[in-house]
């Protein structure tokens, strides 16, 4: 045997560069066959043909990897303390970056790219008009049956709903008044509602804007009780209500009390903003009162913004959120929300689920610690267990995550909640699988004569590390390419995940290999696990195959690859694939914001009432960028909506889809028209008089000349500025017009309207699409062809829902890039076996398509969260598939079926125990989470990923390889047989087994 060994070694060296005349090519040997004696060789010799260039290159690449990892493993075992200490120091240095860690919870930063159209338009709006105000809102209903009938002086009786009962209105007014008196503390200062509220007429009128029905009654109990009685009730709160809902801008209701309808803040309260639960314009049948407290939002002033945040919610009962949450009135049912509520509830959700996540990981950790050990007998239980090694493997996984977070924190990339919640799960799936493969391969191996421990572990690492490198590097490249996504949440996840997976692989082939060597020495010294200082009496240590391995080898693998089972497996999986393809386009797009809230969140009631009662959607602003000429008649007619304006003007096009457009230009025309009695200026001095007609001086006033404004007189800028200083103009349009050039010209402006009622994600997405289509048409209609400005729509929700306009493309791009990366890396690391890489990629693609089928069956929508999970699914699927395919490619059995059976027997148990069983217990715990988003997007999707991955990797893939795997005749890879196995490559159809040597 020794002579033959030396001869074959020399022969391999001589034939490393195959020529046309070579009899053999690309030989390899590694270990003795277990079924032979240690002094014999089991060699299968094949009749040879020419090896292709790729086969030769692949053979050399495989040899390089094998030698490299073997040498590295031997080095790590010979110098364990040096390797471990070096690893610990590097981990600590990288993890120190966590001190610079910042977490992004701002939904805008999570879901909207800074370069996206919605973000750019939001920035433009904020810079020219200020950020959209913060909204504190109450929706109030009543459980009482307090409806009544009002009998007017003429006409039929009018029904008034329970919530419009005067007694309840007084109670609501008390609540509203108490909220307006709430205070907060911020940096030692007392913050009142007046400090942060929107006062459109300040400083002349510092009353806060409160959009409430009670503002029809000037927020006064006395006005609410006004009655005009002769022989019967002539007018009271009923008649005032009916008058104001039809004329909300009226300054006099013509009653004896002459009560105005305009709010105390100087602006109107439109009934569709203050009432809910009615049909058409039957406001008297409203079943809900809506009270909105607009609060200033500050773009670059953190102190002022801090005051608003403190007033909204602070750890004290006398703040808005806590006050309303604890408000007790059995006659009123209150659903409410503040501007910060969603972000606060998401944070609370994450904190509340920490316990669930910890329990989930503890279960997985306990399983790993126990499952790594291979107990040969009861008497050697303490010696054979590998609890300490399992804990070390877990710490390595967590260290790789900490290093990834720390390195990117050094760079200044902020974390997201998705990164914190998902990446440990992902790296655990990848890392534990590799740990099981290393340990279980050693447990099944027999040390050869004259072979030392470091040589054995090096040889084992040379066998399994290329497969680990294949899976880990494929995932790393796939994740890093996923960072090309424009969606911040997906990009951040991909960066952190890719680095964490690669660092985990590096720690496994260094630190873990050294720890494995120490643990084996401990076991061979007959010292118990954990208590390694204790020396037990020597006993004979025998190695035996584990139960799971014997099950896969003796029962499962032969059954799956039976002649009648294989066609059945193919039929079932083809049916699953066909069904999934049919329902891919039926998966809903979007994310119901209610799912992001904990089950016990007060915001859920608010969302429900919002959909049920509100009769108008969010406000939408049609912004005309700076550049339009409002002085020229053509520019005016292209925008205005009155008589003589273009039929396709901006206001006219908005009016076709909304009956409540707000146009400062049309109101300005009404204000300056010659027959108006409100606008006068002194021809001699150019000074203005006020809106009531009272002159600013004793001089008489003269009307503006006919057609002055339409002809573009110099009065335009000054007149407009004066209009915006008047109470009504200032309240309605002070922020809508951006004056420039010393207030003589108009820059950017907006025209406001409202969306229709939006309830579902598809409603919001469609609203965004329609608004953009409308503004594209307006842009084409209002300006010259060489214009450098445009019209765009802006609403507060656009930055969140814009992602869904391209979510299908983003999903296809991210998954396509990931699959392409896996294909390229698999091709190289499988020794340039193109067909094997195609089978790996095809199986992973099947898993992804089947995931869409599961998403449709389980009501999981497609959004950024599910996209992150799909990208993670792509990475985990590599673990289920790549090890099996590589084991198949290096098998030396004669037929595809036998090679598939051997691959499944040897790698199937490690994959099953390393991924499937590890994750299964932890995933089940996620079902107990209080968070709906955890239950749907984590429990359901994670469970589907693991089950589909296991089914395809352990059932479908071996059957596929038995039908379509690469034939043995052209295979030149090395065997994983633990004894030296010499194998020669041949051309297809020319192989012939000549003899066996032993």
């Amino acid at each position: 045997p020794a002579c033959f060994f030396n001869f074959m070694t020399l022969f391999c060296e001589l034939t490393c560069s195959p020529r046309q005349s070579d009899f053999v090519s690309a030989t390899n040997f590694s270990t003795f066959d277990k079924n032979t004696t240690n002094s014999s060789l089991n060699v299968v010799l094949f009749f040879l043909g020419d090896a292709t260039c790729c086969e030769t290159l692949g053979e050399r690449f495989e040899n390089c990897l094998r030698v490299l990892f073997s040498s590295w493993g031997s080095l790590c075992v010979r110098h364990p303390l040096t390797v471990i200490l070096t690893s610990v120091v590097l981990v600590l240095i990288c993890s120190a970056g966590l001190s610079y860690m910042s977490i992004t919870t701002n939904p805008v930063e999570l879901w909207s790219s800074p370069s996206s159209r919605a973000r750019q338009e939001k920035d433009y709006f904020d810079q020219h008009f200020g950020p959209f105000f913060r909204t504190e809102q109450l929706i109030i209903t009543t459980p009482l049956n307090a409806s009544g009938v009002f009998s007017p002086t003429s006409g039929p009786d009018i029904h008034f709903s329970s919530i419009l009962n005067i007694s309840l209105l007084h109670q609501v007014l008390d609540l509203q008044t108490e909220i307006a008196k709430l205070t907060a503390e911020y940096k030692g200062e007392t913050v009142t509602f007046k400090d942060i509220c929107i006062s459109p007429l300040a400083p002349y009128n510092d009353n806060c804007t409160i959009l409430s029905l009670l503002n029809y009654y000037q927020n006064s109990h006395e006005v609410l009780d006004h009655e005009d009685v002769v022989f019967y009730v002539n007018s009271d709160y009923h008649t005032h209500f009916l008058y104001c809902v039809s004329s909300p801008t009226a300054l006099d209701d013509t009653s004896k009390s002459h009560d105005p309808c305009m709010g105390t803040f100087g602006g109107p309260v439109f009934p569709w903003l203050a009432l809910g639960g009615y049909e058409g314009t039957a406001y008297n049948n409203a079943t809900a009162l809506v009270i909105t407290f607009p609060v200033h939002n500050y773009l670059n002033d953190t102190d002022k913004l801090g005051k608003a945040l403190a007033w909204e919610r602070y750890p004290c009962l006398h703040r808005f959120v806590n006050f309303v949450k604890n408000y007790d009135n059995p006659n009123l049912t209150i659903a409410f929300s503040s501007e910060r509520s969603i972000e606060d509830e998401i944070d609370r959700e994450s904190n509340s689920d920490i316990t669930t996540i910890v329990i989930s990981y503890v279960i997985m950790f306990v399983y790993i610690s126990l499952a790594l050990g291979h107990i040969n007998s009861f008497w050697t239980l303490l010696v054979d267990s590998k609890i300490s090694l399992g804990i070390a493997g877990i710490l390595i996984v967590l260290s790789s995550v900490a290093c990834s977070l720390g390195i990117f924190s050094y760079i200044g990339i902020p974390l997201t909640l998705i990164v914190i919640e998902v990446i440990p799960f992902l790296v655990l799936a990848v890392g534990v699988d590799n740990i099981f493969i290393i340990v279980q391969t050693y447990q099944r191996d027999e040390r050869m004569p004259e072979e030392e421990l470091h040589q054995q572990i090096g040889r084992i690492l040379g066998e399994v590390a290329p497969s680990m490198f294949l899976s880990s590097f494929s995932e790393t490249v796939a994740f890093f390419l996923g960072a090309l996504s424009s969606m911040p949440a997906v990009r951040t996840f991909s960066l952190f995940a890719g680095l964490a997976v690669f660092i985990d692989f590096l720690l496994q082939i260094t630190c873990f290999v050294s720890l494995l060597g120490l643990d084996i020495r401990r076991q061979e010294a007959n010292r118990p696990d954990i208590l390694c200082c204790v020396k037990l009496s020597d006993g004979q240590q025998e190695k035996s195959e584990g139960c799971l391995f014997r099950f896969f080898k003796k029962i499962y693998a032969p059954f799956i690859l039976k002649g009648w089972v294989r066609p059945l497996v193919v039929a079932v999986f083809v049916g699953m694939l066909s069904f999934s393809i049919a329902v891919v386009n039926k998966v809903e797009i979007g994310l119901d914001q209610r799912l992001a809230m904990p089950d016990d969140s007060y915001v859920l009631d608010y969302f429900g009432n919002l959909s049920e009662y509100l009769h108008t959607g969010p406000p939408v602003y049609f912004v005309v960028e700076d550049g339009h000429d409002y002085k020229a008649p053509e520019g005016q007619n292209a925008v205005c909506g009155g008589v003589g304006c273009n039929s396709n003007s901006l206001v006219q096009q908005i009016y076709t889809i909304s009956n409540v457009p707000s146009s400062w230009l049309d109101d300005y025309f009404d204000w300056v028209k010659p027959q108006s009695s409100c606008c006068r200026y002194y021809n001699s001095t150019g000074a203005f008089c006020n809106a009531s007609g009272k002159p600013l001086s004793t001089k008489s006033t003269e009307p503006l000349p006919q057609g002055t404004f339409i002809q573009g007189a110099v009065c335009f800028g000054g007149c407009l500025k004066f209009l915006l200083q008047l109470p009504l103009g200032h309240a309605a349009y002070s922020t809508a017009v951006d004056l420039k050039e010393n207030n003589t010209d108009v820059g950017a402006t907006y025209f406001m309207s409202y969306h229709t009622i939006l309830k579902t994600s598809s409603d919001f997405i469609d609203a965004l699409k329609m608004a953009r289509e409308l503004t594209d048409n307006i842009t084409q209609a209002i300006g010259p062809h060489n214009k450098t400005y445009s019209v765009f729509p802006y609403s507060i929700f656009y930055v969140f829902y814009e992602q869904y306009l391209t979510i299908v493309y983003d999903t296809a791009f991210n998954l396509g890039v990931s699959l392409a990366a896996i294909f390229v890396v698999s091709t190289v690391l499988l020794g340039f076996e193109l067909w094997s890489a195609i089978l790996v990629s095809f199986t992973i693609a099947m898993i992804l398509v089947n995931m869409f089928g599961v998403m449709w069956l389980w009501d999981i929508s497609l959004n950024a969260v599910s996209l992150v999970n799909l990208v993670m699914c792509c990475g985990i699927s590599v673990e289920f598939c790549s090890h099996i395919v590589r084991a198949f490619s290096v098998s030396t059995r004669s037929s595809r079926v036998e090679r598939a059976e051997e691959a499944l027997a040897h790698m199937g148990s490690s994959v099953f125990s390393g991924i499937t069983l590890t994750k299964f217990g932890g995933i089940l715990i996620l079902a107990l989470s209080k968070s709906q988003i955890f239950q749907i997007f984590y429990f359901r999707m994670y469970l589907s990923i693991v089950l589909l991955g296991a089914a395809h990797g352990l059932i479908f893939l071996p059957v596929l390889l038995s039908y379509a795997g690469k034939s043995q005749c052209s295979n030149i890879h090395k065997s994983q047989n633990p004894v030296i196995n010499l194998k020669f490559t041949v051309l297809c159809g020319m192989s012939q087994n000549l003899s066996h040597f032993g």
Side-chain angles (χ1 to χ4, degrees):
C3 293
F4 180 74
F5 185 93
N6 294 331
F7 169 76
M8 292 307 299
T9 302
L10 178 61
F11 187 76
C12 291
E13 293 174 355
L14 293 175
T15 57
C16 62
S17 300
R19 297 175 297 276
Q20 188 70 22
S21 59
D22 285 341
F23 179 74
V24 293
S25 65
T27 61
N28 175 64
F29 50 90
S30 57
T31 57
F32 289 94
D33 194 305
K34 287 183 178 180
N35 299 322
T36 65
T37 63
N38 290 336
S39 61
S40 66
L41 289 170
N42 182 23
V43 181
V44 180
L45 182 64
F46 293 102
F47 207 66
L48 302 177
D50 292 332
T52 65
C53 179
C54 287
E55 289 174 340
T56 304
L57 184 60
E59 174 72 8
R60 293 177 178 177
F61 186 74
E62 281 280 339
N63 284 330
C64 289
L65 286 180
R66 186 182 298 269
V67 171
L68 174 64
F69 285 119
S70 296
S71 302
W72 180 255
S74 176
L75 176 67
C76 292
V77 176
R78 283 186 284 116
H79 306 283
L81 294 181
T82 302
V83 173
I84 293 172
L85 289 177
T86 303
S87 300
V88 170
V89 170
L90 292 177
V91 167
L92 291 177
I93 293 175
C94 295
S95 301
L98 293 174
S99 59
Y100 302 97
M101 180 179 66
S102 61
I103 300 177
T104 299
T105 57
N106 186 348
V108 176
E109 299 294 335
L110 283 174
W111 310 123
S112 181
S113 169
S115 61
S116 67
R117 175 179 171 180
R119 280 290 293 275
Q120 292 177 345
E121 292 172 350
K122 178 183 184 299
D123 293 341
Y124 187 93
F125 185 92
D126 292 347
Q127 291 169 6
H128 288 81
F129 312 113
F132 194 81
F133 57 80
R134 305 176 66 84
T135 302
E136 333 296 333
Q137 193 170 69
L138 285 70
I139 301 176
I140 303 174
T141 57
T142 179
L144 301 180
N145 183 12
S147 61
V149 176
F150 172 68
S151 300
T153 55
S154 61
D157 292 346
I158 301 174
H159 173 269
F160 272 73
S161 62
S162 298
I163 197 63
L164 296 178
N165 181 282
I166 190 170
S167 174
L168 292 178
L169 291 179
H170 278 292
Q171 296 176 49
V172 173
L173 180 55
D174 288 335
L175 169 62
Q176 178 181 302
T177 303
E178 288 186 63
I179 291 175
K181 292 180 179 179
L182 292 176
T183 60
E185 295 294 327
Y186 180 75
K187 293 185 176 181
E189 298 182 26
T190 299
V191 180
T192 66
F193 180 57
K194 285 199 174 209
D195 294 330
I196 60 174
C197 73
I198 293 179
S199 302
L201 297 183
Y204 310 108
N205 179 353
D206 63 352
N207 287 323
C208 295
T209 299
I210 302 178
L211 302 178
S212 166
L213 173 70
L214 282 310
N215 240 319
Y216 288 159
Y217 305 95
Q218 308 304 294
N219 298 325
S220 166
H221 288 284
E222 181 182 356
V223 175
L224 185 59
D225 287 331
H226 278 176
E227 287 187 2
D228 183 9
V229 181
V230 183
F231 299 104
Y232 49 83
V233 175
N234 185 38
S235 64
D236 63 357
Y237 88 97
H238 294 97
T239 56
H240 187 69
F241 171 86
L242 295 173
Y243 187 88
C244 289
V245 294
S246 60
S247 302
T249 59
L251 297 176
D252 187 346
D253 65 357
T254 70
S255 67
K256 182 178 179 180
S257 301
H258 300 288
D259 293 325
C261 294
M262 293 280 282
T264 58
F265 59 91
V269 178
F270 297 106
W272 56 83
L273 298 179
L275 297 167
Y278 57 87
E279 295 293 334
T281 58
Y283 304 115
N284 52 292
N285 291 325
T287 56
L289 299 180
V290 182
I291 303 179
T292 305
F293 299 86
V295 171
H296 275 297
N297 210 351
Y298 300 94
L299 187 61
N300 297 313
D301 195 327
T302 55
D303 283 339
K304 290 183 178 179
L305 181 60
K307 292 180 180 180
L309 292 170
W311 186 88
E312 288 173 358
R313 185 179 184 184
Y314 196 78
C316 177
L317 290 179
H318 302 294
R319 308 298 180 261
F320 176 75
V321 172
N322 292 332
F323 173 81
V324 181
K325 186 185 294 186
N326 292 278
Y327 187 80
D328 185 21
N329 186 333
N331 298 329
L332 302 176
T333 302
I334 305 173
F336 72 100
S337 175
S338 72
E339 185 70 21
R340 62 177 297 166
S341 290
I342 294 179
E343 189 170 342
D344 284 347
E345 289 299 280
I346 290 176
D347 289 341
R348 185 173 73 86
E349 169 199 56
S350 301
N351 294 330
S352 67
D353 282 317
I354 288 178
T355 303
T356 304
I357 296 173
V358 169
I359 294 174
S360 173
Y361 282 108
V362 166
I363 290 176
M364 291 187 283
F365 292 167
V366 171
Y367 166 78
I368 294 167
S369 300
L370 297 177
L372 269 183
H374 177 48
I375 311 301
N376 292 303
S377 67
F378 176 78
W379 306 109
T380 60
L381 173 65
L382 296 178
V383 176
D384 293 337
S385 68
K386 295 189 179 299
I387 296 176
S388 57
L389 187 64
I391 293 175
I394 294 167
L395 291 177
I396 285 176
V397 170
L398 297 180
S399 297
S400 64
V401 176
C403 288
S404 177
L405 302 184
I407 290 173
F408 283 113
S409 296
Y410 276 129
I411 299 174
I413 299 178
L415 295 172
T416 65
L417 294 176
I418 289 181
V419 168
I420 298 173
E421 294 165 350
V422 176
I423 286 185
F425 183 92
L426 168 67
V427 180
L428 196 64
V430 176
V432 171
D433 183 36
N434 291 338
I435 290 173
F436 271 84
I437 289 174
I438 295 175
V439 174
Q440 291 180 353
T441 302
Y442 167 77
Q443 290 170 345
R444 300 167 193 161
D445 185 66
E446 292 286 347
R447 190 177 303 173
M448 295 190 300
E450 308 300 328
E451 188 179 39
E452 297 183 15
L453 176 61
H454 69 89
Q455 294 172 327
Q456 182 189 13
I457 294 181
R459 173 171 53 79
I460 290 173
L461 192 65
E463 292 287 342
V464 301
S467 180
M468 295 165 50
F469 185 55
L470 165 63
S471 60
S472 299
F473 193 64
S474 298
E475 294 158 7
T476 299
V477 174
F479 285 134
F480 278 142
L481 289 178
L484 297 175
S485 172
S486 61
M487 196 177 299
V490 178
R491 182 173 61 251
T492 303
F493 164 80
S494 298
L495 287 173
F496 281 87
L499 185 58
V501 168
F502 191 69
I503 292 176
D504 182 58
F505 168 74
L506 295 178
L507 290 176
Q508 284 170 346
I509 63 171
T510 52
C511 188
F512 184 79
V513 170
S514 297
L515 291 170
L516 176 62
L518 294 175
D519 187 76
I520 293 171
R521 290 194 178 100
R522 185 270 310 165
Q523 186 176 4
E524 291 178 345
N526 212 37
R527 296 180 181 274
D529 192 18
I530 300 178
L531 302 174
C532 56
C533 296
V534 178
K535 180 70 167 64
L536 301 180
S537 58
D538 292 336
Q540 186 176 3
Q541 296 182 4
E542 296 181 357
K543 289 191 175 183
S544 61
E545 296 176 341
C547 296
L548 187 60
F549 176 71
R550 287 198 301 271
F551 169 76
F552 268 80
K553 182 177 181 180
K554 303 295 185 182
I555 301 175
Y556 179 74
F559 173 77
I560 286 295
L561 294 166
K562 285 183 179 295
W564 63 272
V565 175
R566 291 190 296 152
L568 183 62
V569 169
V570 172
V572 170
F573 279 85
V574 169
M576 292 169 53
L577 180 63
S578 301
F579 168 79
S580 300
I581 293 174
V583 300
V584 162
N585 62 340
K586 296 182 181 179
V587 175
E588 291 189 4
I589 294 175
L591 175 63
D592 188 343
Q593 53 190 350
R594 289 174 292 188
L595 297 180
M597 300 295 105
D599 288 339
D600 59 348
S601 174
Y602 65 89
V603 182
L604 291 176
D605 292 333
Y606 171 76
F607 285 151
N609 287 5
L610 202 65
S611 300
E612 182 177 357
Y613 295 112
L614 259 63
H615 275 255
T616 187
V620 54
Y621 301 88
F622 296 92
V623 179
V624 183
E625 293 178 339
D626 186 10
H628 187 75
D629 186 3
Y630 293 92
K631 293 181 178 180
E634 297 81 3
Q636 298 166 2
N637 293 335
V639 173
C640 65
V643 178
C645 299
N646 297 343
S647 59
N648 61 347
S649 67
L650 182 146
V651 175
Q652 289 286 6
Q653 291 196 53
I654 297 176
Y655 190 80
T656 58
I657 61 171
S658 172
N659 58 2
V660 286
S662 175
S663 171
W664 62 266
L665 187 55
D666 289 301
D667 287 350
Y668 179 76
F669 284 166
D670 291 338
W671 186 67
V672 299
K673 61 186 179 183
Q675 61 269 32
S676 172
S677 61
C678 71
C679 180
R680 298 290 186 272
Y681 82 106
Y682 296 99
N683 289 327
S684 57
T685 63
F688 288 93
C689 63
N690 61 23
S692 64
K694 297 177 181 179
L696 297 176
S697 65
T698 57
K699 295 182 179 181
S700 61
T701 62
E702 300 175 3
L704 291 173
Q706 177 72 28
T708 297
F709 175 74
I710 299 300
Q711 297 173 5
V714 293
C715 129
F716 173 63
C719 287
L720 182 58
K721 177 185 176 182
F722 186 65
L723 171 64
L724 298 178
Q725 293 173 349
L726 298 178
L728 186 59
H730 184 76
Y733 304 119
S734 60
T735 61
V737 181
D738 184 18
L739 294 176
K740 64 178 184 178
E741 297 179 6
N742 198 23
N743 298 324
T744 61
D745 201 359
V746 176
T749 64
Y750 69 70
F751 299 81
M752 192 185 78
S753 185
Y754 291 90
H755 280 293
T756 55
I757 304 171
L758 307 176
K759 297 182 179 181
T760 65
S761 292
S762 60
D763 291 339
F764 284 95
I765 296 170
D766 292 340
L768 173 56
K769 288 180 181 178
M770 292 185 63
R772 286 187 171 178
E773 290 177 3
L774 176 62
T775 52
D776 289 343
N777 293 334
I778 293 174
T779 300
Q780 295 177 1
I782 71 169
H785 296 294
N786 59 349
K787 58 184 177 296
T788 58
Y789 66 94
S790 62
V791 180
F792 66 85
Y794 172 74
S795 191
I796 190 65
F797 69 88
Y798 286 179
V799 290
F800 305 114
Y801 283 88
E802 186 188 40
Q803 58 177 300
Y804 302 121
L805 299 181
T806 59
I807 191 69
V808 174
Y809 168 80
D810 291 337
T811 302
F813 173 80
N814 279 276
L815 299 184
V817 166
S818 298
L819 284 174
I822 291 170
F823 170 74
V824 172
V825 175
S826 298
T827 300
V828 175
L829 296 184
L830 283 173
F832 299 93
E833 287 191 6
L834 183 64
W835 184 245
S836 296
I838 291 175
L839 295 181
V840 171
S841 303
F842 174 73
T843 306
I844 295 174
M846 284 184 62
I847 296 174
L848 293 174
V849 173
N850 283 328
M851 277 299 300
F852 284 98
V854 171
M855 290 171 65
W856 181 78
L857 288 173
W858 224 336
D859 294 327
I860 303 173
S861 57
L862 179 61
N863 49 57
V865 179
S866 54
L867 176 54
V868 167
N869 287 338
L870 289 172
V871 173
M872 184 184 70
C873 172
C874 198
I876 292 180
S877 298
V878 175
E879 293 291 323
F880 282 108
C881 300
S882 61
H883 299 301
I884 302 292
V885 172
R886 188 177 185 279
F888 175 87
S889 70
V890 300
S891 174
T892 57
R893 298 288 181 87
S894 58
S895 68
R896 290 189 179 97
V897 175
E898 291 176 348
R899 293 165 63 202
E901 182 177 334
E902 183 182 42
L904 182 58
H906 282 84
M907 298 304 296
S909 59
S910 297
V911 171
F912 182 74
S913 58
I915 300 182
T916 310
L917 294 183
T918 302
K919 298 295 168 290
F920 199 73
I923 290 172
L924 293 179
I925 298 299
L926 296 179
L928 305 178
S929 172
K930 294 181 180 180
S931 166
Q932 297 181 78
I933 201 168
F934 258 79
Q935 294 171 9
I936 295 175
F937 292 100
Y938 294 135
F939 166 67
R940 295 182 184 180
M941 291 199 74
Y942 284 5
L943 183 63
S944 302
I945 289 170
V946 171
L947 293 181
L948 286 175
H952 284 77
L954 301 177
I955 300 176
F956 174 76
L957 184 57
V959 173
L960 178 65
L961 291 172
S962 70
Y963 281 120
K966 189 174 182 181
S967 61
Q968 169 66 15
C969 60
S970 59
N971 179 33
I972 62 173
H973 290 293
K974 276 72 65 182
S975 171
Q976 287 184 329
N977 195 330
V979 190
I980 293 182
N981 192 337
L982 301 180
K983 182 181 53 156
F984 304 90
T985 61
V986 297
L987 290 178
C988 293
M990 296 181 59
S991 63
Q992 180 181 3
N993 188 358
L994 297 183
S995 59
H996 294 274
F997 295 87

